[in-house]
């Protein structure tokens, strides 16, 4: 008997029939003798509906009240899923975040989990009941409802798995695992049976959207055995098949990944590039440029600063395309004059393509293969950034699919 | 400076624009210097939507999960109303039932309020913040969310007013007060400026639907000054006019009601009559007949037992029309044979009409006038029941409007 955590996304919970299917799957696991904790998201579209209501009342809604409103989506889900389980003859009990309690700090809309008190839930588990726990939400020291930010249900599931020392955390989603590239772009893309936590982290931060970045950090920190798999498969498929499906996140990288240099090609379409030209190359200049942008809650991704020439340099960075206009306004309105830059230019039609793999730490040839492949396709590289296990390039958006396909082929990812 | 409780029904909270109007009204009261507690219901239709979801998953949903789901309707409302207040520049803070906390017993779906801990809310009030508190819900000893049953937000508002010793509780609804009869039936129906708590109780139990019965009991027990008034009036109307509008529930009956014998004519359309004929007149017979009906959660209203003849009697009672078929099934399936009744007959097309007034305690002529009036209109009386301040008759549904109009005229209620 193992302790298993299941997490189901909004699409899996999207209708009464889908909720029934989720219940059938959980009941199957439970009947196989496992202790079960389940974390469902709000029904698809529900969180947006609630937030739209809030924003139609106030253009700048108070985060505390937003969380009060948004948390109801998951509360409805846990009730419905518990009912569906009971209709199958399985004992289940729902928990709002504050009932567990899942204690967080007081940063509304982006709260961080501090502590989970497992006593009450553990009693339920030991009595053979399935604990159905609201994802995305918690409670702060002052008894306010908090939410963890978009995709926070993944974090809830992994935090619960860590707190209860669960044997495995299964993240059910609308894809059947992590692929070597987006299958909608690359026909030959292949599902990875396993992936290291660090690779998953790069995938998540690169917009592959399989798992929220913070939830992967959680899994890594507490070494939670985590599997990403499809909620669209037959809920009554044999358990042993299901336990081998999807993609498993691993922590013993050397053992499982010995042969593999590059695991996958990730991309992020909706990027925008901004360049502040000819700024004085003095200490603090990066802060003077990026500080006002960050204060407007605009996330900055790649940052590049050129070698300075005659005391002046160019400073380039990327933001999400949806933040482009606002970032340009901020720079042109005040920053440009303050720092004495010559010009602020930008391009909102760029995309990022990345080659990811823990194996590249010890292989120098990855960058060379990547740049040669793009050159052969006539694709100009606008920016480059690297980490230990990733090389990212910024290119014109219109070449993005071409770049992903060419790189997938160049690294022979279709072979496995 | 007074401490005022406002309660708004689902219709008043039915859209973003209506919520804004509610906020404008509250802000007006707050700016006049009052401490404000506000109890909104779920947005119109929301509770039904949630319950339908639950019942589409399970024909017999667990009450605990139903409450978990249904409570979200009010949670959304308190968040939205707080946002609307803040958008007007007024400080407000929302509270779910468990955050106050409003402690109840553990009877899911029909919980009773046991205790309200006012410490946290009082701090907010003293800091000049408006406390926006979810109606209809509470929390039991084991930290489960409970709900108070349909119309429970009225009870929440009056319980809070009692616990905080509020100066007045204003129940905003879609009617502008209590009338001498339903204005849709009697053109000359007149709004009552005040009504005693006991009269209100009879009105509520007779389906006038202005206030839930239990909430009136609460108001009476704790002598909460309660006013029923319209949420459809101009939210910015002068405060002194608003404080005189609607109908005030009073407790000093002798003082204010000295002249009035009959206050109003109430009716309840959807009744059904069931008669169990020729049953042995033995101790326990009423329990044997009504016990199985009550156990099926069917509410029984009027009960009449005839004088027995040769050791046998007829036993007649009424139920809501929607429960008629089920009640007949229960009686015919087992009860009839068990007690040796000759026959079970019924009529689902009957209505109840009542004359209500605290003054009738000391006036013998009310019954006589009532029966004479109905006789003159050719209306047959099927059952009669009386209380200290009420006489009710059951009649054929098709005469209901006629009876209400004739009685309104006979007691000269149009005069005031």
């Amino acid at each position: 008997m193992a302790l298993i955590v299941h997490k189901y996304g909004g699409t899996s919970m999207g209708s009464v029939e889908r909720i029934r299917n989720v219940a059938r799957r959980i009941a199957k696991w439970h009947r196989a003798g496992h202790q079960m904790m389940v974390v469902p998201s709000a029904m698809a579209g529900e969180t947006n509906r609630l937030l739209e209501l809030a924003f139609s009342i106030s253009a700048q809604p108070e985060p505390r009240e937003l969380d009060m409103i948004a948390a109801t989506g998951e509360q409805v889900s846990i009730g419905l899923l518990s009912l569906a389980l009971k209709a199958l003859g399985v004992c289940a009990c729902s928990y709002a975040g504050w009932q567990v309690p899942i204690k967080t700090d007081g940063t509304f809309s982006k709260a961080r989990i501090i502590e989970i008190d497992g006593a009450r839930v553990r009693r339920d588990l030991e009595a053979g009941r399935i604990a159905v726990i609201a994802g995305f939400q918690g409670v702060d020291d002052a008894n306010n409802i908090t939410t963890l930010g978009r995709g926070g249900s993944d974090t809830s599931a992994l935090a619960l798995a860590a707190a209860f020392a669960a044997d495995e955390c299964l993240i059910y989603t609308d894809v059947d695992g992590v692929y070597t590239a987006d299958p909608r772009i690359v026909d030959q893309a292949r599902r990875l049976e396993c992936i290291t936590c660090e690779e998953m982290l790069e995938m998540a931060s690169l917009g592959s959207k399989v798992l929220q970045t913070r939830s992967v950090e959680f899994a890594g920190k507490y070494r939670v055995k985590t599997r990403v798999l499809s909620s669209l498969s037959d809920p009554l498929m044999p358990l042993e098949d299901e336990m081998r499906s999807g993609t498993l996140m691993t922590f013993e990288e050397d053992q499982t990944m010995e042969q593999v240099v590059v695991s996958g090609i990730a991309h992020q379409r909706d990027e925008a590039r901004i360049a502040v030209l000819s700024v004085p190359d003095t200490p603090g200049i990066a802060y003077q440029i990026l500080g006002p942008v960050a204060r407007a809650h605009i996330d900055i991704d790649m940052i590049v600063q050129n070698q300075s020439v005659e005391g002046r340099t160019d400073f380039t960075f990327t933001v999400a395309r949806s933040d482009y206009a606002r970032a340009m306004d901020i720079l042109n309105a005040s920053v440009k004059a303050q720092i004495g830059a010559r010009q602020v230019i930008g391009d909102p039609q760029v995309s990022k393509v990345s080659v990811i793999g823990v194996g590249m730490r010890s292989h120098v040839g990855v960058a060379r293969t990547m740049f040669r492949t793009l050159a052969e396709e006539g694709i100009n590289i606008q920016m480059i950034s690297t980490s230990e296990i990733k090389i990212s390039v910024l290119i014109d958006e219109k070449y993005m699919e071409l770049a992903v396909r060419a790189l997938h082929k160049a690294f022979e990812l279709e072979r496995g």
Side-chain angles (χ1 to χ4, degrees), chain A residues 10 19 62 117 140 147 248 285 288 290 345 355 397 399:
Chain A
I19 292 173
E62 288 273 329
D117 178 350
D140 74 6
T147 69
L248 182 69
I285 193 72
Q288 284 179 275
L290 298 181
I345 61 171
V355 172
E397 183 189 8
Y399 295 124

Side-chain angles (χ1 to χ4, degrees), chain A residues 61 71 91 305:
Chain A
C91 257
Q305 184 176 338

Side-chain angles (χ1 to χ4, degrees), chain A residues 131-181:
Chain A
V132 182
I133 300 172
F136 178 62
Q137 60 181 254
V139 61
D140 74 6
D141 266 352
N143 255 354
N144 298 304
I145 293 177
T146 55
T147 69
L148 311 180
R150 282 279 159 147
S153 289
D154 291 336
T155 305
S156 303
L158 284 160
L160 285 163
F164 283 81
D167 294 278
E168 190 163 337
C169 181
L170 293 95
I171 309 284
Y172 288 89
T173 175
D174 48 1
V175 298
D176 65 348
V178 179
Y179 276 72
T180 52

